[in-house]
Amino acid sequence: MVSVQYRKEYSPALGRDMEYKIYGDRGKPMLVFPTSLGRFYQYEDSGMIDELADWIHAGKLQVWTCDSIDEETFFSSHWNIEDRINRHEQYNAYIVHELIPSILYESQHNNGGHEQKILISGCSMGAYYSSNFFFRHPHYFDTLLALSGVYSVQHFFGDYRDGAVYYNSPLDYLPNLHDELIVEQYRRSRIVICCGQGAWEDEMRYETGRLQQVLQEKHIPAQIEFWGHDVDHEWHWWRKQIRYYMSGLL
């Protein structure tokens, strides 16, 4: 059995309790986001922790699965765009100023004082979150593993790009990013982005292709792959992909 910790902590940024789980007691810290409207326990329930169990047992990987507040942000049915994106920025503050420092502190403690950056990952909506946090805050991460994601806010906000909406849409802000210090951090990182070409993957395949082009134009190395036409947008394939890619990342 993989060792599991459950935590529920009050978030000043969000003004509410937030829950998460930690799997393992040492190793490379990995932060995982759920799919749309998903919860912190989804990754375990969907069999992904089982796929990573060998690395967790060996002390090579420690996985943190966080919660989302999608019903108040990207998938809210009653808030206007400004309120939704402002609430997401509060979620951004929770992840960046509360959860990530806790991960880094505990990781250093659990690994004999050795400092490590974070491997950030997710499937579907979790791939969007992980890539957006990776590109917005690269100094915390050295690895991105995104499976079947979109990489713009087109699906959520249409053509609206004012204010913070723009800065949460990687396919919009990355082409205009010319800070070489930031771009160099991307180049020193490991970036793996994958999607299938089967059912429900059309939008993901299109935006993955666009992101591939942006990264190539900026000379940012990335492993971007398109699996076959039988590879659908679902956990069966994500379990295969996480095990396949993780073997090369750890």
Side-chain angles (χ1 to χ4, degrees), residues 175-237:
N176 299 317
L177 178 62
H178 303 294
D179 187 326
E180 279 299 313
L181 291 178
I182 294 177
V183 173
E184 191 57 35
Q185 290 184 72
Y186 301 154
R187 292 173 180 150
R188 292 197 301 266
S189 299
R190 295 171 295 178
I191 300 173
V192 179
I193 299 170
C194 171
C195 74
Q197 301 182 74
W200 309 106
E201 288 281 70
D202 289 348
E203 184 177 11
M204 292 72 183
R205 184 173 67 248
Y206 172 70
E207 295 211 349
T208 297
R210 287 185 59 201
L211 182 59
Q212 181 180 35
Q213 182 178 1
V214 171
L215 297 178
Q216 287 175 344
E217 289 173 351
K218 291 191 171 295
H219 307 289
I220 298 169
Q223 181 180 351
I224 299 182
E225 297 186 352
F226 300 86
W227 285 32
H229 292 279
D230 61 335
V231 179
D232 300 334
H233 192 83
E234 55 101 358
W235 289 105
H236 167 72
W237 286 107

Side-chain angles (χ1 to χ4, degrees), residues 120 128-138 141 144 151 170 173-174 177 182 186 191 193 211 215 220:
I120 191 167
Y128 161 77
Y129 277 125
S130 60
S131 61
N132 190 41
F133 278 103
F134 174 86
F135 289 120
R136 285 187 67 180
H137 310 285
F141 313 107
L144 168 65
Y151 304 103
Y173 65 72
L174 283 176
L177 178 62
I182 294 177
Y186 301 154
I191 300 173
I193 299 170
L211 182 59
L215 297 178
I220 298 169

Side-chain angles (χ1 to χ4, degrees), residues 149-169:
V150 295
Y151 304 103
S152 78
V153 295
Q154 185 71 29
H155 179 76
F156 313 109
F157 302 123
D159 294 331
Y160 187 90
R161 293 293 186 276
D162 288 356
V165 173
Y166 172 85
Y167 292 104
N168 285 285
S169 188

Side-chain angles (χ1 to χ4, degrees), residues 56-68:
I56 296 173
H57 280 305
K60 295 181 179 180
L61 185 69
Q62 187 174 28
V63 183
W64 302 62
T65 58
C66 66
D67 229 343
S68 73

Side-chain angles (χ1 to χ4, degrees), residues 24-65:
D25 56 12
R26 66 192 187 282
K28 179 72 173 177
M30 177 180 181
L31 173 59
V32 176
F33 292 84
T35 65
S36 55
L37 300 169
R39 298 298 310 278
F40 65 97
Y41 46 77
Q42 179 196 56
Y43 208 67
E44 177 183 357
D45 290 353
S46 300
M48 299 293 271
I49 294 298
D50 288 340
E51 297 297 334
L52 299 174
D54 290 346
W55 291 289
I56 296 173
H57 280 305
K60 295 181 179 180
L61 185 69
Q62 187 174 28
V63 183
W64 302 62
T65 58

